[in-house]
Amino acid sequence: MTTIYLIRHGQAEGNLYRRCHSWHNGLLTQKGREQAKALEKRFEGVHFDAAYSSDLYRAMATAGAVSRPRGLTLRVDPGLREIGAGVWEDVPWGQLLHEHRDSLADFLACDPGWQVEGSETFPHVRQRMTASLTRIAAAHPGQTVAVASHGCAIRAALSAFLGMDAADMSRIPLSNNTGVAKLMAENGTFQVEYYNDDSHLGSSEQWRYPAAQSNAASGIPGMERNALRHRSLILPQEEELYLNACTEAGIQPYNFLLGEPDSLLLSLLGERPAGVLQMDRAKEADQGAGWITLLWMAPEFQGKGLAVQLLGHAVCTYRAMGRQTLRLSCPPEFQRLRSFCLSHGFAPADGQPDTLEQYIGLEL
C-alpha cells in the first residue's frame, strides 16, 4: 500500500494580492515561507521515498520542505496543476466580481459547467488529478510519497476518492495553505484517512489565511468586502482626487504621467475609490527596476489590509515587463508606509536609506 501526503502550497502572491493565479506563476509570500518551515518541522522523523509537485513555483517551493532536507529529487508533474483559468489568469478578483459576477459565483461553487475562454473545467481537473495520483501511487508501491498541489485541484481529487459526485465538490472546504491530506492507495483504489489538516500551524492565526478573505469560505459577499479592482484614473474629472492623494502622501504630482493611463490607477472597492497607484515605468528601466511613485489609500480604507493589493498589482505589472526589482522612495519619516513595505518583503537599498526595494524575479 502506498502512502501519499497530498499538500496544498503555502500562501502565495495570488492569495495575498487577491488575484486569480491558477496557472499564472507567482512566489510564496513571507507567510507562505513560514508555513513551509512549519510543514518541514511537521514531517521531521517521517520517512519519504519520493516527492512530487505541480510545475508551478508556489507548489515546487512548498514541496522543497520535504524534498530538500532528505536530498530527494523533486519530480514535477503538470497534471498536479491548479485548474486553468484561461483569460481570467492574473486578473484581480475584484475585477472579475465587477465584470463577471454570475460566472465568478459559478466558479466559487465549483460548478461542473463553469468555463471561460481558454480555461479548464472542474470535471477535467478531477480527471487529470486522479490520473496523476494513480500513476504516482503505481510507481511507488509500499512507499511514502509527498505531493504538493493546489486548493481546487486537491478538492477535485478528494471528491473523487470520497465517492462524491463531481457536482458536490464544493462540499469539501478549501484547505488552508499547507493543509495536508493523507491518502492510502492500492491497486488504483484510494482511501482518505484525513484531509485539510493544518495542525502544524498551531492554534495561532499568525500563519493562517483569514477565512474572511478566502474565496471559498466567504464567496461573493466576502469579495465585496475585500477585493479591489483597478482602472485608469479618469482625467480631468478625477484630477482633484489625485492631487489630494499626492498632498496626503507628501509628494509632488507627477504631471508627466497624467497622459499615461496605465501608469496612474484608481483602485475601487465596489464603486468606492479606495486608493491610488502610480508607477513610473521609464525610471531605471535599463537597470531592470520598476518604480512605485505613489501608493495611497483613502483614510476610510487604511488599516484594513487592502493596500497590499495595490502593491501586488505593481509586482505583477512589472514582472510581466521583465523587471527584477521593485522600488519606491520612502524616507524614515513616512513611518506608516515604511512599516507596511518592510512587512511585505522590502528592504533599504544599498547606500540609499530613503529607497526601499524588493526582488520580484521568479526564483525558488
Side-chain angles (χ1 to χ4, degrees):
M1 184 169 286
T2 302
T3 301
I4 294 178
Y5 289 96
L6 182 58
I7 305 162
R8 186 187 179 200
H9 62 78
Q11 188 195 61
E13 289 175 327
N15 303 133
L16 181 62
Y17 299 157
R18 309 296 286 132
R19 301 175 76 89
C20 181
H21 284 183
S22 291
W23 286 8
H24 184 88
N25 251 329
L27 297 175
L28 292 183
T29 65
Q30 177 60 36
K31 181 180 288 188
R33 292 189 291 272
E34 293 172 353
Q35 291 170 331
K37 289 178 183 178
L39 186 72
E40 180 178 340
K41 186 172 181 62
R42 171 194 179 126
F43 285 123
E44 283 181 353
V46 178
H47 174 78
F48 283 92
D49 299 285
Y52 286 77
S53 169
S54 89
D55 59 344
L56 299 174
Y57 281 96
R58 56 195 187 271
M60 294 168 66
T62 303
V66 173
S67 64
R68 196 175 298 113
R70 296 166 176 79
L72 295 173
T73 298
L74 182 60
R75 310 183 195 199
V76 175
D77 183 350
L80 299 169
R81 280 187 178 192
E82 183 58 288
I83 184 171
V87 294
W88 284 14
E89 293 285 356
D90 197 34
V91 177
W93 291 114
Q95 195 77 29
L96 295 174
L97 177 63
H98 180 70
E99 297 179 358
H100 307 286
R101 186 185 184 93
D102 291 343
S103 184
L104 179 58
D106 290 341
F107 175 85
L108 296 177
C110 306
D111 188 322
W114 174 85
Q115 191 169 27
V116 297
E117 181 182 348
S119 78
E120 296 182 287
T121 64
F122 287 103
H124 179 259
V125 176
R126 173 166 150 148
Q127 181 182 39
R128 67 166 166 80
M129 276 290 291
T130 56
S132 285
L133 291 168
T134 299
R135 286 196 303 271
I136 290 170
H140 299 279
Q143 295 184 333
T144 300
V145 183
V147 176
S149 186
H150 306 262
C152 287
I154 291 172
R155 295 168 83 194
L158 290 174
S159 70
F161 298 149
L162 291 170
M164 299 169 60
D165 188 86
D168 295 328
M169 174 182 151
S170 63
R171 288 169 46 198
I172 299 174
L174 179 67
S175 170
N176 190 45
N177 293 112
T178 67
V180 179
K182 185 176 182 181
L183 313 176
M184 306 301 293
E186 190 170 30
N187 298 325
T189 300
F190 287 77
Q191 294 182 348
V192 181
E193 287 207 358
Y194 58 76
Y195 61 89
N196 292 5
D197 180 3
D198 60 5
S199 56
H200 52 282
L201 300 181
S203 58
S204 171
E205 294 298 314
Q206 174 186 359
W207 290 342
R208 299 175 187 276
Y209 192 68
Q213 295 185 12
S214 166
N215 295 343
S218 57
I220 295 293
M223 286 191 176
E224 290 176 331
R225 293 191 297 270
N226 60 53
L228 299 178
R229 60 187 175 95
H230 317 283
R231 65 159 172 79
S232 299
L233 201 140
I234 301 172
L235 298 171
Q237 295 93 319
E238 294 171 337
E239 184 172 0
E240 183 177 351
L241 186 153
Y242 168 64
L243 295 176
N244 179 62
C246 290
T247 299
E248 291 191 10
I251 68 168
Q252 292 297 315
Y254 277 57
N255 293 324
F256 65 91
L257 291 178
L258 297 183
E260 299 182 19
D262 291 336
S263 296
L264 184 55
L265 302 175
L266 179 65
S267 298
L268 301 104
L269 185 64
E271 299 299 329
R272 293 181 293 166
V276 175
L277 173 67
Q278 180 176 262
M279 298 176 285
D280 187 345
R281 301 183 181 209
K283 185 176 181 179
E284 296 184 354
D286 59 340
Q287 300 177 34
W291 272 84
I292 295 175
T293 49
L294 173 62
L295 196 161
W296 172 84
M297 296 298 295
E300 66 177 298
F301 295 102
Q302 293 176 9
K304 298 184 181 298
L306 299 176
V308 71
Q309 296 178 53
L310 281 70
L311 174 61
H313 192 78
V315 169
C316 294
T317 296
Y318 279 125
R319 183 180 290 150
M321 298 172 69
R323 309 293 174 87
Q324 300 292 304
T325 306
L326 184 64
R327 292 177 179 165
L328 67 126
S329 177
C330 189
E333 59 265 27
F334 291 6
Q335 294 183 4
R336 187 184 187 96
L337 177 60
R338 193 175 184 89
S339 176
F340 166 78
C341 291
L342 293 175
S343 69
H344 286 97
F346 283 82
D350 290 342
Q352 303 177 64
D354 288 354
T355 298
L356 300 181
E357 65 179 14
Q358 177 185 34
Y359 182 76
I360 60 172
L362 286 176
E363 288 187 4
L364 293 175

Short mmCIF file of all heavy atoms in Angstrom, two decimals, residues 201-239:
data_model
loop_
_atom_site.label_atom_id
_atom_site.label_comp_id
_atom_site.label_asym_id
_atom_site.label_seq_id
_atom_site.Cartn_x
_atom_site.Cartn_y
_atom_site.Cartn_z
N LEU A 201 0.45 24.27 11.98
CA LEU A 201 0.45 25.72 12.12
C LEU A 201 0.05 26.15 13.53
O LEU A 201 0.09 27.35 13.85
CB LEU A 201 -0.51 26.35 11.10
CG LEU A 201 -0.17 26.10 9.63
CD1 LEU A 201 -1.17 26.80 8.73
CD2 LEU A 201 1.25 26.53 9.30
N GLY A 202 -0.35 25.19 14.36
CA GLY A 202 -0.70 25.51 15.73
C GLY A 202 -2.02 26.23 15.83
O GLY A 202 -2.77 26.38 14.87
N SER A 203 -2.31 26.73 17.02
CA SER A 203 -3.59 27.39 17.26
C SER A 203 -3.57 28.87 16.89
O SER A 203 -4.60 29.50 16.78
CB SER A 203 -3.99 27.25 18.73
OG SER A 203 -2.99 27.80 19.58
N SER A 204 -2.36 29.41 16.70
CA SER A 204 -2.24 30.84 16.37
C SER A 204 -2.76 31.11 14.96
O SER A 204 -2.59 30.29 14.05
CB SER A 204 -0.78 31.28 16.48
OG SER A 204 -0.63 32.59 15.97
N GLU A 205 -3.36 32.26 14.78
CA GLU A 205 -3.83 32.68 13.46
C GLU A 205 -2.71 33.35 12.66
O GLU A 205 -2.92 33.75 11.52
CB GLU A 205 -5.00 33.65 13.60
CG GLU A 205 -6.24 33.02 14.20
CD GLU A 205 -6.78 31.87 13.35
OE1 GLU A 205 -6.88 32.04 12.12
OE2 GLU A 205 -7.06 30.81 13.92
N GLN A 206 -1.51 33.43 13.23
CA GLN A 206 -0.42 34.16 12.60
C GLN A 206 -0.12 33.65 11.20
O GLN A 206 0.15 34.43 10.29
CB GLN A 206 0.84 34.06 13.48
CG GLN A 206 2.09 34.67 12.85
CD GLN A 206 3.33 34.42 13.69
OE1 GLN A 206 3.26 33.80 14.74
NE2 GLN A 206 4.46 34.89 13.21
N TRP A 207 -0.13 32.32 11.03
CA TRP A 207 0.26 31.74 9.75
C TRP A 207 -0.93 31.35 8.89
O TRP A 207 -0.77 30.81 7.82
CB TRP A 207 1.13 30.51 9.97
CG TRP A 207 2.48 30.84 10.52
CD1 TRP A 207 3.12 32.05 10.49
CD2 TRP A 207 3.38 29.94 11.18
NE1 TRP A 207 4.34 31.96 11.09
CE2 TRP A 207 4.54 30.68 11.52
CE3 TRP A 207 3.33 28.59 11.51
CZ2 TRP A 207 5.63 30.10 12.17
CZ3 TRP A 207 4.41 28.01 12.15
CH2 TRP A 207 5.55 28.77 12.49
N ARG A 208 -2.12 31.59 9.40
CA ARG A 208 -3.30 31.15 8.67
C ARG A 208 -3.81 32.26 7.76
O ARG A 208 -3.69 33.44 8.04
CB ARG A 208 -4.40 30.72 9.63
CG ARG A 208 -3.99 29.55 10.51
CD ARG A 208 -5.04 29.21 11.55
NE ARG A 208 -4.54 28.21 12.46
CZ ARG A 208 -4.55 26.91 12.24
NH1 ARG A 208 -5.07 26.46 11.12
NH2 ARG A 208 -4.08 26.05 13.11
N TYR A 209 -4.43 31.83 6.67
CA TYR A 209 -5.04 32.80 5.75
C TYR A 209 -6.43 33.08 6.27
O TYR A 209 -7.23 32.14 6.44
CB TYR A 209 -5.09 32.22 4.35
CG TYR A 209 -5.44 33.24 3.30
CD1 TYR A 209 -4.55 34.25 3.00
CD2 TYR A 209 -6.65 33.19 2.62
CE1 TYR A 209 -4.85 35.21 2.04
CE2 TYR A 209 -6.95 34.13 1.66
CZ TYR A 209 -6.05 35.14 1.38
OH TYR A 209 -6.37 36.07 0.44
N PRO A 210 -6.76 34.34 6.59
CA PRO A 210 -8.05 34.64 7.22
C PRO A 210 -9.23 34.09 6.43
O PRO A 210 -9.32 34.29 5.22
CB PRO A 210 -8.08 36.17 7.25
CG PRO A 210 -6.64 36.59 7.19
CD PRO A 210 -5.98 35.55 6.33
N ALA A 211 -10.12 33.38 7.10
CA ALA A 211 -11.29 32.81 6.42
C ALA A 211 -12.12 33.90 5.75
O ALA A 211 -12.72 33.69 4.70
CB ALA A 211 -12.15 32.03 7.41
N ALA A 212 -12.12 35.09 6.34
CA ALA A 212 -12.90 36.18 5.77
C ALA A 212 -12.38 36.63 4.42
O ALA A 212 -13.08 37.27 3.65
CB ALA A 212 -12.90 37.37 6.72
N GLN A 213 -11.10 36.26 4.12
CA GLN A 213 -10.52 36.63 2.84
C GLN A 213 -10.37 35.43 1.92
O GLN A 213 -9.71 35.51 0.88
CB GLN A 213 -9.16 37.31 3.05
CG GLN A 213 -9.27 38.64 3.78
CD GLN A 213 -7.94 39.33 3.89
OE1 GLN A 213 -6.98 38.98 3.25
NE2 GLN A 213 -7.89 40.36 4.71
N SER A 214 -10.92 34.31 2.30
CA SER A 214 -10.85 33.12 1.46
C SER A 214 -12.01 33.10 0.48
O SER A 214 -13.17 33.21 0.88
CB SER A 214 -10.88 31.86 2.34
OG SER A 214 -11.15 30.72 1.56
N ASN A 215 -11.73 32.93 -0.79
CA ASN A 215 -12.79 32.92 -1.79
C ASN A 215 -13.82 31.84 -1.48
O ASN A 215 -15.03 32.06 -1.54
CB ASN A 215 -12.20 32.67 -3.18
CG ASN A 215 -11.31 33.80 -3.63
OD1 ASN A 215 -11.36 34.88 -3.08
ND2 ASN A 215 -10.50 33.55 -4.63
N ALA A 216 -13.33 30.65 -1.15
CA ALA A 216 -14.25 29.54 -0.93
C ALA A 216 -15.07 29.73 0.33
O ALA A 216 -16.23 29.34 0.40
CB ALA A 216 -13.46 28.23 -0.86
N ALA A 217 -14.45 30.34 1.36
CA ALA A 217 -15.15 30.47 2.64
C ALA A 217 -16.18 31.59 2.62
O ALA A 217 -17.24 31.49 3.22
CB ALA A 217 -14.14 30.71 3.76
N SER A 218 -15.84 32.68 1.92
CA SER A 218 -16.69 33.86 2.02
C SER A 218 -17.49 34.15 0.76
O SER A 218 -18.43 34.92 0.80
CB SER A 218 -15.84 35.08 2.37
OG SER A 218 -14.81 35.26 1.41
N GLY A 219 -17.08 33.55 -0.38
CA GLY A 219 -17.83 33.70 -1.62
C GLY A 219 -17.95 35.15 -2.06
O GLY A 219 -17.14 36.01 -1.74
N ILE A 220 -19.01 35.43 -2.81
CA ILE A 220 -19.23 36.77 -3.35
C ILE A 220 -19.32 37.83 -2.25
O ILE A 220 -18.70 38.90 -2.36
CB ILE A 220 -20.51 36.80 -4.22
CG1 ILE A 220 -20.33 35.91 -5.47
CG2 ILE A 220 -20.86 38.22 -4.62
CD1 ILE A 220 -19.31 36.40 -6.45
N PRO A 221 -20.07 37.61 -1.15
CA PRO A 221 -20.13 38.66 -0.11
C PRO A 221 -18.76 39.03 0.43
O PRO A 221 -18.48 40.20 0.69
CB PRO A 221 -21.02 38.04 0.97
CG PRO A 221 -21.87 37.05 0.23
CD PRO A 221 -20.96 36.48 -0.82
N GLY A 222 -17.89 38.03 0.62
CA GLY A 222 -16.55 38.32 1.11
C GLY A 222 -15.76 39.16 0.14
O GLY A 222 -15.04 40.09 0.53
N MET A 223 -15.87 38.84 -1.14
CA MET A 223 -15.16 39.63 -2.15
C MET A 223 -15.65 41.06 -2.19
O MET A 223 -14.87 41.99 -2.43
CB MET A 223 -15.31 38.98 -3.53
CG MET A 223 -14.48 37.73 -3.71
SD MET A 223 -14.49 37.23 -5.43
CE MET A 223 -13.37 35.84 -5.34
N GLU A 224 -16.92 41.25 -1.96
CA GLU A 224 -17.45 42.62 -1.94
C GLU A 224 -16.83 43.43 -0.82
O GLU A 224 -16.75 44.65 -0.90
CB GLU A 224 -18.97 42.58 -1.79
CG GLU A 224 -19.70 42.05 -3.02
CD GLU A 224 -21.20 41.93 -2.81
OE1 GLU A 224 -21.61 41.71 -1.65
OE2 GLU A 224 -21.93 42.03 -3.80
N ARG A 225 -16.35 42.74 0.22
CA ARG A 225 -15.75 43.43 1.36
C ARG A 225 -14.25 43.65 1.21
O ARG A 225 -13.69 44.53 1.88
CB ARG A 225 -16.02 42.66 2.66
CG ARG A 225 -17.47 42.61 3.08
CD ARG A 225 -17.61 42.05 4.49
NE ARG A 225 -17.15 40.67 4.59
CZ ARG A 225 -17.92 39.61 4.40
NH1 ARG A 225 -19.20 39.78 4.07
NH2 ARG A 225 -17.45 38.39 4.53
N ASN A 226 -13.58 42.85 0.37
CA ASN A 226 -12.11 42.91 0.42
C ASN A 226 -11.38 42.80 -0.91
O ASN A 226 -10.15 42.84 -0.91
CB ASN A 226 -11.59 41.81 1.36
CG ASN A 226 -11.99 40.42 0.90
OD1 ASN A 226 -11.75 40.05 -0.24
ND2 ASN A 226 -12.60 39.65 1.79
N ALA A 227 -12.06 42.67 -2.04
CA ALA A 227 -11.37 42.50 -3.31
C ALA A 227 -11.45 43.78 -4.15
O ALA A 227 -12.54 44.21 -4.54
CB ALA A 227 -11.96 41.32 -4.09
N LEU A 228 -10.30 44.39 -4.40
CA LEU A 228 -10.24 45.63 -5.16
C LEU A 228 -10.14 45.36 -6.66
O LEU A 228 -9.66 44.32 -7.09
CB LEU A 228 -9.02 46.46 -4.74
CG LEU A 228 -8.94 46.91 -3.28
CD1 LEU A 228 -7.65 47.67 -3.05
CD2 LEU A 228 -10.15 47.76 -2.91
N ARG A 229 -10.59 46.34 -7.43
CA ARG A 229 -10.32 46.36 -8.87
C ARG A 229 -9.58 47.64 -9.19
O ARG A 229 -9.59 48.59 -8.41
CB ARG A 229 -11.61 46.27 -9.68
CG ARG A 229 -12.61 47.40 -9.45
CD ARG A 229 -13.92 47.12 -10.17
NE ARG A 229 -14.94 48.12 -9.88
CZ ARG A 229 -15.18 49.20 -10.63
NH1 ARG A 229 -14.48 49.39 -11.74
NH2 ARG A 229 -16.12 50.05 -10.30
N HIS A 230 -8.91 47.66 -10.31
CA HIS A 230 -8.07 48.79 -10.67
C HIS A 230 -8.41 49.25 -12.08
O HIS A 230 -8.59 48.43 -12.98
CB HIS A 230 -6.59 48.40 -10.58
CG HIS A 230 -6.23 47.59 -9.38
ND1 HIS A 230 -6.09 48.13 -8.13
CD2 HIS A 230 -6.02 46.25 -9.24
CE1 HIS A 230 -5.78 47.18 -7.27
NE2 HIS A 230 -5.74 46.02 -7.92
N ARG A 231 -8.48 50.54 -12.25
CA ARG A 231 -8.69 51.11 -13.59
C ARG A 231 -7.92 52.41 -13.71
O ARG A 231 -7.48 53.00 -12.71
CB ARG A 231 -10.18 51.35 -13.86
CG ARG A 231 -10.84 52.39 -12.98
CD ARG A 231 -12.11 52.93 -13.62
NE ARG A 231 -12.90 53.78 -12.76
CZ ARG A 231 -12.63 55.07 -12.52
NH1 ARG A 231 -11.56 55.64 -13.06
NH2 ARG A 231 -13.42 55.78 -11.74
N SER A 232 -7.73 52.85 -14.95
CA SER A 232 -7.03 54.12 -15.17
C SER A 232 -7.82 55.26 -14.54
O SER A 232 -9.05 55.30 -14.60
CB SER A 232 -6.87 54.37 -16.67
OG SER A 232 -6.10 53.35 -17.27
N LEU A 233 -7.10 56.15 -13.92
CA LEU A 233 -7.73 57.32 -13.32
C LEU A 233 -8.21 58.24 -14.44
O LEU A 233 -7.48 58.52 -15.39
CB LEU A 233 -6.72 58.04 -12.43
CG LEU A 233 -7.28 58.97 -11.37
CD1 LEU A 233 -6.50 58.83 -10.08
CD2 LEU A 233 -7.22 60.41 -11.83
N ILE A 234 -9.45 58.69 -14.37
CA ILE A 234 -10.07 59.48 -15.43
C ILE A 234 -9.78 60.96 -15.21
O ILE A 234 -10.09 61.52 -14.16
CB ILE A 234 -11.60 59.25 -15.47
CG1 ILE A 234 -11.90 57.76 -15.72
CG2 ILE A 234 -12.25 60.09 -16.56
CD1 ILE A 234 -13.36 57.40 -15.57
N LEU A 235 -9.16 61.53 -16.22
CA LEU A 235 -8.80 62.95 -16.14
C LEU A 235 -9.54 63.74 -17.21
O LEU A 235 -9.80 63.23 -18.29
CB LEU A 235 -7.29 63.11 -16.32
CG LEU A 235 -6.42 62.42 -15.25
CD1 LEU A 235 -4.96 62.46 -15.64
CD2 LEU A 235 -6.62 63.06 -13.88
N PRO A 236 -9.95 64.98 -16.92
CA PRO A 236 -9.64 65.73 -15.68
C PRO A 236 -10.62 65.49 -14.55
O PRO A 236 -10.46 66.06 -13.47
CB PRO A 236 -9.71 67.18 -16.17
CG PRO A 236 -10.79 67.15 -17.21
CD PRO A 236 -10.63 65.84 -17.92
N GLN A 237 -11.63 64.65 -14.75
CA GLN A 237 -12.69 64.50 -13.75
C GLN A 237 -12.15 64.09 -12.37
O GLN A 237 -12.68 64.52 -11.34
CB GLN A 237 -13.73 63.47 -14.22
CG GLN A 237 -14.51 63.90 -15.46
CD GLN A 237 -13.87 63.38 -16.72
OE1 GLN A 237 -12.65 63.40 -16.85
NE2 GLN A 237 -14.71 62.90 -17.65
N GLU A 238 -11.12 63.25 -12.34
CA GLU A 238 -10.62 62.73 -11.06
C GLU A 238 -9.27 63.32 -10.69
O GLU A 238 -8.58 62.79 -9.81
CB GLU A 238 -10.55 61.20 -11.13
CG GLU A 238 -11.93 60.56 -11.26
CD GLU A 238 -11.90 59.06 -11.53
OE1 GLU A 238 -10.88 58.58 -12.06
OE2 GLU A 238 -12.90 58.39 -11.23
N GLU A 239 -8.90 64.42 -11.32
CA GLU A 239 -7.60 65.03 -11.04
C GLU A 239 -7.54 65.54 -9.60
O GLU A 239 -6.50 65.44 -8.94
CB GLU A 239 -7.32 66.17 -12.01
CG GLU A 239 -5.94 66.78 -11.83
CD GLU A 239 -5.60 67.79 -12.91
OE1 GLU A 239 -6.45 68.02 -13.80
OE2 GLU A 239 -4.50 68.35 -12.85
#
